[in-house]
Amino acid sequence: MKVYMLNPPYFPRFGREMRWQDTGRGGTLYYPIWLSYATGLLESLGHRVRLVDCPAWNWSVDDVLKDIEKFDPDLVVVETSFTSLKNDLEIIRRVKELEFKVAAVGPPVSQFTEEILKFADFAARYEFDFTIAELCEVMEKGRNLEGVLGISFRVDGKIFHNPERPFSTSEQLDRLPFVSEVYRKHLNVRDYFLNYSLYPMVQIFTGRGCPNSCTFCSWPQTFTGKKYRVRSIENLLDELEFIESEMEVKEVFFEDDTFTISKKRVLEFCRGYRERKLDISWSCNARVDTLDFETMREMRRANCRFLVVGFESADDGILRNIKKGFTAEEAKEFAREVKKAGLFLHADFIIGLPGETRETIEKTRRFIKEIKPEQLQVSVVTPFPGTELYDWLKERGYLVTDDPSEYLDEQGHQKSVVSYPWLSAEEIVKAVDDILRGYYLSLSYIPVALKQIFRRRGMDEARRLFRSARMFLKYSRERRLK
Ligand code: SF4
């Protein structure tokens, strides 16, 4: 069967698979990771697949429609995201005008299934790679869809919802082809950029799902579930060997929600990495309460560079409100240990969470100055449908709009759709911009930047910082002109 896997056009360099889906301020562009895993699985089952990443290639809707007609697939799989949903549905409508079958995938599909089925033929809810693979098999063999778990579909205007598909297991993850092979075959690694990773890089999963309960986080609540399922260390190390020997990349980023959940597994990975004499750098997402100093030191010895960590706020009341699971003091101590272990810190904060006031914003600003992360991300609070945070804000009337397609401004950057009687949407956005500018454009950031350059692969670090700074200054100028 011929399958067209589409990351559809929206803003250029729009990050449809990012946690906060927008056009990144620091030039960030994610791989279409989930579509790529599904591509690999379909190819391994003998299907002919074309993977198209329009935001990376700057393709217009007309470009992609022409390309679809040329490829003439049996099924078009269109990825959706919350902030681009209206746009994505319009693209599905245009593809349907050409009389192709369309399956919609992505986090909104589990939340807006019936709405999406007004446009698409099939909706693959939650994690979709195994669902799409089974859908293709059933379509190819002309069987009916009744047994395909996780799918909703429309027949003669009537909608059917099949039972949920259990989330993929660790064993299934081990059987998936390496996503890095898919990138090499279908994409150009030079199109993608993370401001904390050496360039060029690849993003892979070593596991999926997150057991934590942060109320704002859409991934476990709308897409991947709460159980962390993991690939075997052997399988993971095999992929690193492949990347190091076969691809022109300088770093691997582990895109798992929290790579550091199991200390035992992290230490096993570090040991295996050194035994195989690997050299490629890697970085990962981590949590304040999952890492001790000893593990961090082992990670550094195994060429780990950056930890990307959600601190979210420096106020304990807010941390409690969002069920973060640690205190600001614990977070500060963690940041100290990261530095002591010789790792770099990318610290994420969110402005506008429940309990935010002008005073808590100041507290967060001071906290950032104190911990001095090598990279800083501050996001505008974004309540995705299906999350506890969304329901909480909606019930209390703090949402300016509940339509996620209105969450971005005309440049594709986040705007605030949360407004409190004591803190307006405009103040939230301004606070984000002020904190970022105040941190990156101050003299005190110079030694933090220099520290990143004066170490292994210093020229690569300098190039990364320069590229990121250029994009941030462009963003900053655009915001000031508004
Ligand atoms: S730990 Fe990270 S991925 Fe897990 S729920 Fe919290 S924010 Fe989401």
Side-chain angles (χ1 to χ4, degrees), residues 19 210 212-214 216-217 220 257-258 287 312 324:
R19 283 178 174 72
C210 176
N212 295 294
S213 303
C214 313
F216 59 87
C217 180
D257 290 327
T258 310
R287 248 180 82 95
E312 326 307 2
K324 194 66 204 177

Side-chain angles (χ1 to χ4, degrees), residues 356-367:
E356 195 80 274
T357 61
R358 291 184 195 120
E359 291 71 39
T360 59
I361 292 173
E362 271 318 300
K363 216 190 247 186
T364 296
R365 192 197 306 270
R366 284 197 301 274
F367 182 92

